[in-house]
Amino acid sequence: MRKIFVSPSILSADFARLEKECKSLEKSGADWIHCDVMDGKFVPNISFGLPVLKSIRKCVVIPLDVHLMIEEPIRYVKQFAEIGANIITFHIEAAQDVKATADLIRSCGKKVGLSVKPNTPVEDLLPYKGLFDMVLIMSVEPGFGGQKFIESSVDKIRKARELFPDALIEVDGGINADTAKFVTEAGADVIVAGNAVMQAHNRKDVIENLRKL
Ligand code: DX5
Ligand code: ZN
């Protein structure tokens, strides 16, 4: 059976207790920790950046799945690689030179993720086939946690699965036990969940549930 990875997003964490939050996710069986970096320009919100990730890296050993929602991500690739990001995902809409950005991430020895916003067709990734390890399908407009899952994302996941059989397909936004079922059936390998995991009374149960196909 296909392995489903769960990557809880710490955007909905209590930032005053970040070490505790990250350790609790690791103990609860999270495969990765999803870190949403925002610049207030590519998306209308500002979250956290390099120094925070550097501290998180010291608290847990599971991979850091870094989702860059910033303009011209190439400017910061080396620094995110240096602080210990394992997967660096950027938006096709935010990069002037997608190939150069992907190549730089690879040359730093990191996995490359390429993301599309809800209104960007997944076919736009075709020219870059082979340059990335993971496709991130946004199932909400990026910028905020706790939004409602956009249902047309399921078709996009199916399409991505078909076009990029060798890449992991990650989905991010509005995922809970119900929507997780649809997206994994459509071919998603990696489930990002913010509110569903962080607000849960028992994180371990929720993570296990999300992983169930
Ligand atoms: C939104 C972020 C998501 C967000 C998901 O821009 O990329 O990772 O934290 O939060 P939920 O799961 O609550 O929709
Ligand atoms: Zn994200």
Side-chain angles (χ1 to χ4, degrees), residues 9 11 34 36 38 67 69 138 142-146 172-174 192-195:
S9 164
L11 189 61
H34 185 84
D36 288 303
M38 305 179 183
H67 177 193
M69 285 164 273
M138 286 307 300
F144 301 91
D172 182 6
V192 176
N195 275 26

Side-chain angles (χ1 to χ4, degrees), residues 74-208:
I74 197 164
R75 296 174 296 150
Y76 290 101
V77 164
K78 279 194 185 138
Q79 291 175 70
F80 280 104
E82 271 163 26
I83 57 96
N86 300 81
I87 303 140
I88 302 180
T89 297
F90 65 99
H91 275 263
I92 186 173
E93 304 91 351
Q96 245 181 55
D97 192 335
V98 172
K99 183 180 183 312
T101 311
D103 286 349
L104 182 59
I105 298 173
R106 277 229 170 126
S107 75
C108 295
K110 306 299 176 181
K111 297 277 183 220
V112 180
L114 200 49
S115 184
V116 283
K117 296 207 283 185
N119 291 326
T120 305
V122 79
E123 288 83 353
D124 285 15
L125 300 173
L126 273 171
Y128 310 108
K129 195 171 179 168
L131 297 180
F132 52 84
D133 307 285
M134 186 170 85
V135 172
L136 168 54
I137 307 282
M138 286 307 300
S139 42
V140 298
E141 281 301 331
F144 301 91
Q147 303 181 75
K148 192 177 174 297
F149 180 79
I150 298 172
E151 280 173 16
S152 56
S153 315
V154 175
D155 287 336
K156 277 177 90 173
I157 292 162
R158 217 170 274 126
K159 186 91 223 171
R161 182 74 288 156
E162 192 186 303
L163 294 175
F164 309 109
D166 299 330
L168 287 175
I169 311 293
E170 180 176 53
V171 58
D172 182 6
I175 301 290
N176 53 38
D178 297 328
T179 50
K181 223 179 293 153
F182 300 129
V183 302
T184 48
E185 269 166 23
D189 310 283
V190 188
I191 303 286
V192 176
N195 275 26
V197 172
M198 303 312 297
Q199 310 302 334
H201 185 62
N202 187 330
R203 292 179 175 170
K204 190 163 185 276
D205 284 353
V206 173
I207 289 172
E208 267 167 26

